[in-house]
């Protein structure tokens, strides 16, 4: 096995008492002494600092770069205003999902953030755009952190005045002690917050300055997962993959009218025929929320049945666990649309079928600053 | 005197029964415990049989019967307050078992257990 990579915050994680685990080729903090539950609740009430340096950062440049990216991503990139960010998907020819990503329009270039596990594949995929005169530049020498939670604005603006004026999904550059931070007002927790790309040389100093504020605690991958699950956010490789269509993953919202059938820039991305006809007709199944009636968490892979006995499974849990803010188990599964909201289905756990309520996603209401 | 198993359980003899819980080391590894399912009182179990389901925010795991015998009691407060295990591992029992034979010599003492977990 290849050696695990370490982020620029590795020493700081160790100093903070982090338990480190292998994750997508990196050695990352899964939790700190506060524990997953405490870290989760801290992020919901104050501010959590996440090291997300393992994620891929990519710059695309060239004439008509937005138009070019639309050949790979079914989002409205052309219509993305300068200083704004948008969520999108890389799709494949079969109509499945290769990865999800954030796309920022920074004026003379697009800035993308992609998943750690998919970064090599994504860059190879993006290199197709070189034929259209687009340069694909993996960002070297920059780390990425996320600051999330209701106190994130107060904490960050103390160090970087001006960020308080940003709205949800704004992107901008700010100076911090002579270095340039690329900041977006976004995140993966359902809380208000920021994602900050920092030159590697000052990453530890910047993170230390954030952690010096009482409201800020370091948060590991464990709480990152429970926070995003409560926020109903999908995770690549779990809630979506090459076998899952955007509609099945409940990500049809990321494909705007302009790219759909009859739109001004209809289709033109991999798998467009399958994806757009499914969206037009309405998908037979989609990602739904599940609330087990008891206390037992139902986790990824647990099969869901319509009745208490017999029958084929109607779906499988794609993400599941315990929601600390919800105070109970929560899960998501791709299930037939014909099952009504509020209906009871059954999760087969250790040979027993346990009742589970079909509920809307998210489980925890987001608090973005729009 | 407490005895310990390789599965990170502590055993305490009480008359002709054994009281079983899990160690602080185990709770640290598990993280915050959010769900516990206990066996039925009166159940006859084999040594090594998985009889308790314990789930933390991170993962599900099992607790096995350290010896063959009959479950004589379970800590009924535990499923409603699973976090007690994190707060006080040694003070939180899971079940009592009446063993087929009371021979605890094969289990570790505290020093041996501490050496095992390093």
């Amino acid at each position: 096995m290849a050696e695990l990579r370490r982020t620029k915050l590795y020493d700081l994680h160790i100093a903070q008492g982090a338990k480190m685990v292998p994750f997508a080729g990196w050695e990352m903090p899964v939790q700190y002494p506060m524990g997953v539950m405490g870290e989760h609740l801290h992020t919901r009430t104050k501010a959590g600092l996440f090291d997300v340096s393992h994620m891929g950062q990519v710059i695309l440049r060239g004439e008509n770069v937005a138009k070019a990216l639309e050949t790979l991503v079914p989002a409205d990139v052309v219509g993305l205003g300068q200083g704004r960010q948008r969520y999108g998907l890389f799709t494949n020819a079969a109509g499945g999902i290769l990865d999800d990503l954030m796309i920022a329009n920074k004026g003379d270039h697009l800035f993308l953030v992609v998943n750690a596990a998919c970064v090599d594949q994504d860059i190879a995929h993006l290199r197709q755009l070189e034929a259209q005169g687009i340069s694909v530049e993996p960002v070297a020498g920059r780390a990425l952190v996320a600051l999330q939670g209701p106190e994130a604005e107060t904490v960050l603006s103390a160090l970087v005045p001006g960020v308080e004026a940003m709205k949800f999904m704004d992107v901008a550059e700010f100076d911090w002690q002579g270095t340039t931070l690329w900041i977006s007002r976004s995140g993966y927790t359902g809380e208000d917050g920021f994602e900050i790309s920092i030159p590697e040389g000052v990453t530890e100093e910047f993170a230390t300055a954030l952690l010096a504020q009482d409201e800020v605690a370091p948060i590991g991958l464990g709480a990152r997962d429970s926070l995003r699950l409560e926020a109903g956010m999908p995770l690549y490789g779990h809630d979506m993959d090459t076998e899952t269509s955007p509609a099945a993953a409940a990500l049809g919202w990321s494909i705007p009218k302009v790219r759909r059938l009859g739109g001004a820039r209809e289709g033109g991305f991999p798998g467009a025929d399958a994806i757009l006809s499914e969206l037009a007709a309405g998908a037979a199944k989609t990602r739904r929320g599940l609330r087990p009636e008891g206390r037992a968490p139902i986790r990824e892979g647990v099969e869901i049945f319509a009745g208490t006995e017999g029958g084929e499974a109607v779906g499988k849990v794609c993400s599941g666990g315990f929601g600390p803010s919800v105070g109970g188990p929560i899960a998501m599964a791709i299930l037939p649309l014909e099952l009504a909201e509020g209906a009871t289905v059954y999760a087969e756990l250790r040979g027993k079928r346990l009742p589970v309520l079909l509920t809307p996603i998210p489980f925890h209401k987001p608090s973005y600053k729009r | 005197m407490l005895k310990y198993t390789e599965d990170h359980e502590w055993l305490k003899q009480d008359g002709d029964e054994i009281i079983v819980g899990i160690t602080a080391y185990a709770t640290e590894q598990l993280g915050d415990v959010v769900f516990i399912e206990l066996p039925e009182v009166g159940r006859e179990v084999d040594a090594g049989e998985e009889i308790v389901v314990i789930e933390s925010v991170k993962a599900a795991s099992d607790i096995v019967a350290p010896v063959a015998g009959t479950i004589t009691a379970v800590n009924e407060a535990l499923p409603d307050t699973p976090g007690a295990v994190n707060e006080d591992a040694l003070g939180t029992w899971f079940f009592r078992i009446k063993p087929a034979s009371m021979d605890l010599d094969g289990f570790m003492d505290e020093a041996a257990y501490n050496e095992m977990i390093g």
Side-chain angles (χ1 to χ4, degrees), chain B residues 1-18:
Chain B
M1 196 178 79
L2 291 181
K3 290 282 192 174
Y4 296 86
T5 74
E6 288 177 2
D7 299 309
H8 309 288
E9 290 159 294
W10 56 257
L11 315 179
K12 183 179 171 190
Q13 187 176 346
D14 183 22
D16 61 353
E17 294 180 356
I18 301 169

Side-chain angles (χ1 to χ4, degrees), chain A residues 75 85-89 100-103 169 234 240 251 253-254:
Chain A
Q85 178 174 260
R86 195 162 272 171
Y87 176 82
L89 303 170
D100 61 346
L101 72 158
M102 295 302 281
I103 307 158
M169 291 297 215
M240 57 182 146
L251 296 171
W253 62 267
S254 74

Side-chain angles (χ1 to χ4, degrees), chain A residues 31 36-37 295-296 299 350, chain B residues 32 35 53 55-58:
Chain A
Q31 68 172 89
V36 176
M37 194 101 81
R295 285 171 166 269
R299 298 184 193 270
R350 299 180 275 271
Chain B
D32 303 299
F35 173 74
V53 175
E55 300 220 24
S56 68
V57 284
K58 283 188 283 185

Side-chain angles (χ1 to χ4, degrees), chain A residues 229-233 250 287-290 331-333 341 359-363:
Chain A
L229 175 61
E230 279 186 345
M233 292 175 173
R287 182 166 48 92
R288 317 281 296 272
L290 299 173
M332 302 192 288
E341 207 72 58
T359 57
I361 294 171
F363 304 96

